[in-house]
Structure formats: C-alpha cells, structure tokens
Amino acid sequence: MDPKKILLVAGVFPPGIGGMQNYYYNLAVHTKHEMTVLASEYADSEAFDRKQKFKIVRGAFLRNEKADLRSWGRLFRSVRKMLKQDEPDVTVYGYVLIGFIGLLLRYISGRPYVVSTHGMDLLMFRRFPGLNQIVKLILRKADGIMANSEFTKKLLGDYGVDPRKIGIVYPGVESHFNRQPKDQELVRRYGLEGKYVILSVGRLVTRKGQDRVIAAMPEILEQIPNAVYLIVGDGPDRKRLEQLAKDNGVEGAVIFAGSVSGSDRLNAFYNLGDQFIMACRQLTKGDAEGFGIVYLEAASAGIPVIAGRSGGATEAVLDGVTGLLADPESPADIAAQIIRFQTDPALRARLTEAGYKRAKTEFQHGNVAETFDVYISRLCSRTAPSRKRAEEPAIGKLRP
C-alpha cells in the first residue's frame, strides 16, 4: 500500500473522554498512512501530545467540545495553513458541520475532503431546515463519507449521498478489555457479595435507556431476588434516574457508581457484571445510538450482552448470535431478556463465547484501521486526477 498523507480535523479528540474521541485516536495510532491531527486544546493536552507518535496541532477551536462559531475563522485559517504547509492527499473532517470548511476549500483549491459521520450527528439537524440543507450540501459534495455503521450509511442515503462514496469504518475495541477475576475491593465497596449484577456503562442521558431498566427491576427482582443494577457513568439524567428508582421501590437494588476513567479501571467494572445491558432507543428529537462500542467492550470482558433494538446497536449485537435484543420501550421485554439469560445457562454460554470471539477479531483496532486504510487509498486514487485538474488553473496564474 502506498502511504497517503492525511489531515484529520477532529471535532473531538483525547485527552477529551468519549467514544468519538477514542474512535479518532485509535485510527491515528493504528493507521499505516501518515496522519496529522488538528484538534482543540485542553488544559492537559500538551502532556498527552508528547506521548504520541503522530503529529498533533492544537488550537482554541471548540469550547467544552461544542461548536463555537467565534472560533470557526481560526479553524478555517489553521486548516488552510496546514494544507499549504503539509500538502496532505486528503482531509478528513471529524464532525459534519466542520465539513463546511472542506466544502469551501474544495471550491477554492480543489482539495478532496472526507466527512466522518456517526448517526446522531445526521439526525439532530433534521429539525432545522436551513441547517439541514447545508449538511446535505456538505455531504453530497464530499469526495468520501465515512460511516460508523450500516445504520448511519442508511441515514446518508436519506440525504441523497452516492453510496459509492461511503465507506463503513466501525469503531474498534481496546485489546485490554478482557476477562479477569472480579476486583474484590470493588465487590466490597458496592456490596456485591452474593449478588447477580446487571451492568450498564454509558452517559446518563435518555437514549441510553437506563430508565427503562430501572422500570424493569421490580419484575426482575421477582424472578432474581438477589439482582442489583449497577450503573457506571454520569450525566444530566442522574437525578431523574435516582428518583425513578425510589418511585419504583427499587432504590436498594440500583447502584450509581459514577464516572470511571481509564480503560483498565473500566475493564474491572465490566468484569463485575453477570450480564450487560444498554437498552438504547431512538428519540423523536433525532437522538439515536449510531453503533455502541460498549457492547463490544462488555463482550470482550466475557459477559453476555443485551442491546435495545434501535439504531446501530443491532449491528454491534447480533440477536441470538452474539447477544440478545430487547424492545427498548418495553420494561417487560427488557426484564424478560435479562431473566432469559439468567435462567438459560446454555444460551448464555453460547452467545457469550460468540460475542467474545467477534469482539476479539473483527473489532480489534488493527483490523478497523486496515479497513480505514484501504478506503483512504481507494479514495485518493480516484480523486488525484481531478484534484490535479482543479489546481492547474491556479498554478498557471502564478506563472510570469
């Protein structure tokens, strides 16, 4: 493979924490192309950057990892400067709206650009007709589009994007998510001795579905009296979820562990679980799970997995093959699937092993990066001639 020069204009990036941050970071780490990352600065980004083997350029582009219109001029100038300085073969924009910079620079200088999409970023603009038209233009004019799932690819089709431009690059799983003995200090801290632990890991927001699992707990406790629901993560829904546990009379069986940082530490929490569930659902306001890497992290830790039948989660968990799907709007169905795993050891063992093998092969970062590398190479081979033609007039103007 002929290595290409890639500029990744990241909307979010470590040391920020989250699934998209990890997605872009691991592409940068594992790609065989030469990647430079343009990212927002953080208080501790300098120390982080020194440890990396790839080039990172920082700037005051986003505030609290949210779009800051006042910084778009700075970001545009920085991208343009890096294009002239580094001459990348292609620029990848990590957030659909900042792909507008790619659109402008394509008109100005014929620079090819790719937009990386994750599902929710496509749904959220549908409520705003004017903004939605801009998004449509960004996507249709892009030389390539990366989608993190078939679900996201279908959303791109709704925007009229040529399917030949789309490449699916799934998220990957850190190799150190793995089976290990239960951390007895954590078992003691959360009072899990002799308990059947139902585990969720994720931000406490409505679409993640922790509320539906809490609503299912009374029925679950009737069949599994020693069950507890351990919720790892934090977010704006925490107070509502705590009140919901009280309202359902299950506050003693619902444990809020808060945020956990570091993959090794998170792996210890996964290994506390007897089964994992994230009953994600798509909301009417355009909020959906584009994929759900936590399902594969849990599978890597060797525990059975249940997902909400919604969005890209149905690709992360193959129903009846690597896990189970539940109706995310139905506490009764959620309870039924949890009880099914607990009462059917043969099913549990079969699906757990299949989920483990799939997570440890198809979704390791090396394999994911290989898919990315092939996609970028093919795209560059298609765009190189058209870019040359686009640049020739500008070059001609510089001649005496």
Side-chain angles (χ1 to χ4, degrees):
M1 181 186 70
D2 181 22
K4 304 298 180 183
K5 294 177 71 174
I6 303 170
L7 173 61
L8 169 61
V9 184
V12 293
F13 202 74
I17 298 172
M20 286 175 62
Q21 289 87 335
N22 288 338
Y23 181 79
Y24 293 126
Y25 173 70
N26 281 291
L27 286 180
V29 168
H30 294 279
T31 181
K32 291 182 172 61
H33 294 302
E34 180 185 340
M35 184 180 287
T36 298
V37 179
L38 181 60
S40 301
E41 58 190 14
Y42 298 76
D44 50 352
S45 57
E46 187 176 344
F48 173 86
D49 294 352
R50 282 197 300 268
K51 299 176 184 177
Q52 310 310 317
K53 295 181 180 179
F54 55 92
K55 180 181 175 183
I56 305 176
V57 178
R58 299 280 183 176
F61 305 129
L62 301 174
R63 302 297 182 187
N64 300 318
E65 299 193 341
K66 294 181 179 179
D68 179 3
L69 295 179
R70 295 169 299 177
S71 70
W72 278 52
R74 290 193 297 271
L75 182 58
F76 176 83
R77 290 190 295 272
S78 294
V79 173
R80 197 171 188 185
K81 178 181 177 181
M82 293 187 70
L83 291 178
K84 292 180 179 179
Q85 175 182 297
D86 294 351
E87 286 292 328
D89 295 290
V90 67
T91 306
V92 178
Y93 292 88
Y95 179 61
V96 66
L97 274 188
I98 59 175
F100 187 68
I101 293 173
L103 176 65
L104 290 178
L105 291 171
R106 197 182 195 289
Y107 279 125
I108 293 169
S109 59
R111 297 279 185 173
Y113 74 98
V114 173
V115 178
S116 178
T117 57
H118 298 265
M120 189 181 74
D121 52 346
L122 300 177
L123 289 166
M124 65 190 298
F125 299 115
R126 292 183 173 183
R127 293 174 294 157
F128 310 102
L131 199 55
N132 200 47
Q133 288 302 312
I134 294 173
V135 169
K136 182 182 292 187
L137 186 63
I138 292 168
L139 295 172
R140 287 185 174 182
K141 294 296 183 181
D143 298 272
I145 306 287
M146 285 167 50
N148 70 338
S149 65
E150 289 285 354
F151 169 72
T152 302
K153 182 178 180 180
K154 182 179 181 299
L155 295 177
L156 289 167
D158 296 340
Y159 274 100
V161 175
D162 184 343
R164 293 172 297 181
K165 292 183 178 181
I166 304 171
I168 296 178
V169 181
Y170 284 114
V173 185
E174 301 281 356
S175 60
H176 49 247
F177 285 109
N178 218 329
R179 294 163 170 155
Q180 68 179 44
K182 289 188 178 184
D183 185 320
Q184 292 305 309
E185 189 275 326
L186 291 178
V187 170
R188 288 190 294 272
R189 181 190 302 179
Y190 296 107
L192 303 179
E193 297 92 343
K195 299 295 185 179
Y196 185 84
V197 180
I198 302 159
L199 175 73
S200 286
V201 174
R203 195 156 182 265
L204 306 190
V205 292
T206 304
R207 71 180 165 92
K208 299 291 186 179
Q210 295 98 340
D211 54 349
R212 296 294 192 262
V213 182
I214 291 173
M217 283 302 293
E219 188 171 347
I220 292 168
L221 288 166
E222 288 184 8
Q223 300 296 320
I224 314 173
N226 64 331
V228 294
Y229 182 30
L230 178 61
I231 301 174
V232 175
D234 214 336
D237 255 12
R238 178 156 180 167
K239 287 186 178 179
R240 183 178 74 87
L241 294 173
E242 289 174 338
Q243 185 60 50
L244 186 63
K246 291 178 183 178
D247 293 344
N248 280 273
V250 295
E251 64 267 35
V254 178
I255 303 167
F256 293 87
S259 295
V260 174
S261 60
S263 298
D264 291 333
R265 190 65 171 163
L266 185 55
N267 188 53
F269 275 87
Y270 277 122
N271 277 276
L272 295 175
D274 291 289
Q275 59 175 271
F276 178 86
I277 184 167
M278 187 169 77
C280 59
R281 62 186 186 269
Q282 184 168 335
L283 305 179
T284 55
K285 65 178 183 178
D287 197 354
E289 198 69 28
F291 184 72
I293 196 60
V294 291
Y295 299 117
L296 295 166
E297 291 174 352
S300 294
I303 61 175
V305 175
I306 299 173
R309 190 179 285 104
S310 170
T314 59
E315 296 167 63
V317 179
L318 306 181
D319 193 26
V321 179
T322 65
L324 296 175
L325 298 180
D327 180 351
E329 298 289 356
S330 170
D333 192 46
I334 290 169
Q337 301 308 320
I338 288 172
I339 293 166
R340 184 181 176 192
F341 259 146
Q342 195 268 345
T343 56
D344 191 338
L347 176 73
R348 174 192 177 92
R350 177 170 59 83
L351 270 56
T352 299
E353 190 60 27
Y356 177 82
K357 288 180 179 178
R358 183 172 183 246
K360 287 296 185 182
T361 53
E362 295 178 40
F363 292 94
Q364 292 300 288
H365 283 298
N367 292 336
V368 170
E370 185 176 350
T371 301
F372 170 76
D373 287 350
V374 170
Y375 175 70
I376 291 295
S377 292
R378 289 177 178 172
L379 183 142
C380 288
S381 68
R382 293 199 311 268
T383 59
S386 60
R387 180 185 162 187
K388 183 178 180 182
R389 287 194 298 271
E391 290 180 341
E392 280 173 350
I395 294 171
K397 290 178 183 177
L398 295 176
R399 292 173 182 165

